Amino acid sequence: MDVGYSQGLLEERGVKMAVMHSPAPARDARKVASLGVPSVDDILNGGLPCGHMYLLEGEPGAGKTTLALQFLLEGIKQGETVLYITLSESHVELKAAAASHGWDISEIDVMELMAFGDKVDPDSLYTVLNPGDVELTDTLKVIRERVDSLDPKRVVLDSLSEVRLLAGDPLRFRREILVLKQYFLEKGTTVLMLDDRTADHEDLQIHSLVHGIIKLERMANEFGSERRRLTVTKLRATRFRGGYHDYKIIEGGLVAFPRLVAAEHRAQQLPGTLLSGVSNLDDLLGGGLDHGTSTIVMGPAGSGKSTIVTMYAIAAVNAGDKVAMYLFDENVGTLFARCKALEMPLEQHIESGMMTIQQIDPAEMSPGELIQHVRDAVTHRGVKHVVIDSLIGLLNAMPEERLLTVQLHELLSYLNQLGVTTLMTIAQHGLVGPMTSPADLSYLADTLLLLRFFEADGEVRGAISVMKRRTGLHERTIREFQITKGGVVVGPPMRGFRGVLTGVPTYTEGAVTLMERKGAESFQ
């Protein structure tokens, strides 16, 4: 049973993950420096062009040192000589940070400099030179001497805030960075400069000098774990994936979740439909759910939404397709208990590997990570049907995430283009009478199934109807349905009623068609 990370994310715990390629042409790998994180390389369209100077900026604790170490460790894997120049962290601190990820940095040449050490005699500076002039000059001289002797292909400079303090004024700081830039450019060294953004304002001078900029952000939510995101604000002469990309730091390094662009993923869709196994329901839908479409099952709490999408998931497995379910509103144990009571064979499909169920903790997961879970399931495990229960649980649990509906739209477009069938549920406010939804997401779906309670002869009954189907015709009738042992039972079109969707129908002339009550105790 899969209730944790999907296979793709587990692979990246060893800093490996399948790359979602963009349509831009691939560059010669010898001219690109990988950062050691495939998902970040994907955002950069392969990596950083070699022989240039780059800025990695972010607040303290954002993960700059982690990504910088991954950058150097990747260089060692490529047989390159690498150098870590630190003016802020000691060698001991770097080893401790690496050990927390299970890394051995013994092959990384660490140059530890004391930015305000006692290398210069203070008595010789009082009347001739400013102390900062000598300290910065000595520091840069020592750096160049070490680079000349080591000739590294990759260098990390940590951090610019110390150099900025040594320079004293912006003009000298800019001149010294220009000198370093020209020096490393002549040697063909790829340099990653770290900046903790402790300056009073954004340093646009550095932004104009470097070849590219990667920005790491850490945001605290009112509840739950912090959110992290990165953006590439500049990368000269290279196409990259713009916008914000969620990331997190786990044991094994930084893991990014590239922003999904549905237009980059197109595949030939295979014809076919997903049948529920309930003939009357398939008739109501005009023949079933078409592959490569999305369906929303909407209705009040307890009306049977989760049971219906679970029934479709079991039907898909019986047809030989793999299914991935993502639960927000209930835990896996509750789902198993309900399916067992209804005699719906769920656990055997989990054991066979044809179905995976993942409990989502939205307080600990960003939308980008959730989308990456779904992408991994489709690309790595061959999943053809995705179930999300429910969208309202997702929206309510991530209230501080902006534009979440836009991300959902992109995800559904991506799944549709790959021929994946998506089923989602939405709970509405109310039980009978007028219903309202916390968010209008019906436009996202190709098919909309509406469930309603109604009263008849002193009993609460359920009605089902199809309000929308973009891919073809469907019945306009309202049918009664029941949840019984074995699954869902759908009756013939209801006659003799008016106002069923209001919850309190009235009788009209003619015969009244109601199903015999079977297993009423099995309602969700």
Side-chain angles (χ1 to χ4, degrees), residues 5 9 12-15 37 39-40 56-70 89 96-103 194 215-219 225-230 245-257 364-366 369:
Y5 279 91
L9 286 178
E12 189 158 51
R13 280 182 172 272
V15 199
V37 186
S39 50
V40 178
L56 177 60
E57 61 179 2
E59 298 176 352
K64 301 183 299 299
T65 302
T66 299
L67 185 57
L69 288 175
Q70 289 177 268
E89 292 191 77
S100 68
H101 294 293
W103 300 334
L194 278 52
K215 184 177 180 180
L216 305 181
E217 295 183 9
R218 185 181 62 174
M219 302 167 292
S225 66
E226 60 191 3
R227 297 284 192 258
R228 299 172 185 266
R229 64 182 186 180
L230 69 85
H245 312 272
D246 292 331
Y247 75 95
K248 68 187 305 182
I249 299 174
I250 62 175
E251 183 181 352
L254 184 148
V255 181
F257 311 105
E364 302 297 326
M365 183 178 293
S366 66
E369 183 177 358

Side-chain angles (χ1 to χ4, degrees), residues 382-395:
V383 165
K384 295 299 181 184
H385 306 274
V386 171
V387 177
I388 300 176
D389 185 14
S390 71
L391 289 181
I392 296 304
L394 170 63
L395 293 173

Side-chain angles (χ1 to χ4, degrees), residues 176-230:
E176 295 295 347
I177 296 300
L178 275 171
V179 171
L180 278 180
K181 177 183 177 180
Q182 185 62 33
Y183 170 74
F184 284 118
L185 184 64
E186 292 174 356
K187 297 187 72 66
T189 306
T190 306
V191 182
L192 199 60
M193 299 188 300
L194 278 52
D195 189 1
D196 56 16
R197 297 173 58 84
T198 54
D200 295 335
H201 54 83
E202 193 170 35
D203 192 346
L204 298 180
Q205 294 195 55
I206 287 295
H207 288 195
S208 65
L209 294 179
V210 296
H211 199 75
I213 304 169
I214 301 175
K215 184 177 180 180
L216 305 181
E217 295 183 9
R218 185 181 62 174
M219 302 167 292
N221 290 329
E222 292 183 5
F223 179 79
S225 66
E226 60 191 3
R227 297 284 192 258
R228 299 172 185 266
R229 64 182 186 180
L230 69 85

Side-chain angles (χ1 to χ4, degrees), residues 407-482:
Q407 296 184 63
L408 284 172
H409 181 274
E410 202 74 5
L411 174 62
L412 293 179
S413 298
Y414 163 78
L415 294 174
N416 288 357
Q417 290 169 180
L418 294 183
V420 176
T421 305
T422 311
L423 292 105
M424 303 161 286
T425 65
I426 292 183
Q428 294 181 294
H429 294 320
L431 294 175
V432 295
M435 297 285 175
T436 59
S437 297
D440 184 12
L441 301 175
S442 59
Y443 74 95
L444 293 175
D446 300 303
T447 304
L448 181 61
L449 272 173
L450 182 65
L451 308 183
R452 282 289 182 267
F453 289 122
F454 71 97
E455 180 272 334
D457 292 334
E459 292 184 346
V460 177
R461 295 172 176 263
I464 186 170
S465 56
V466 178
M467 309 304 291
K468 164 184 166 183
R469 183 171 179 255
R470 285 177 177 154
T471 55
L473 299 176
H474 62 87
E475 281 191 13
R476 296 287 181 176
T477 61
I478 301 174
R479 294 175 180 255
E480 186 184 359
F481 81 100
Q482 296 179 14

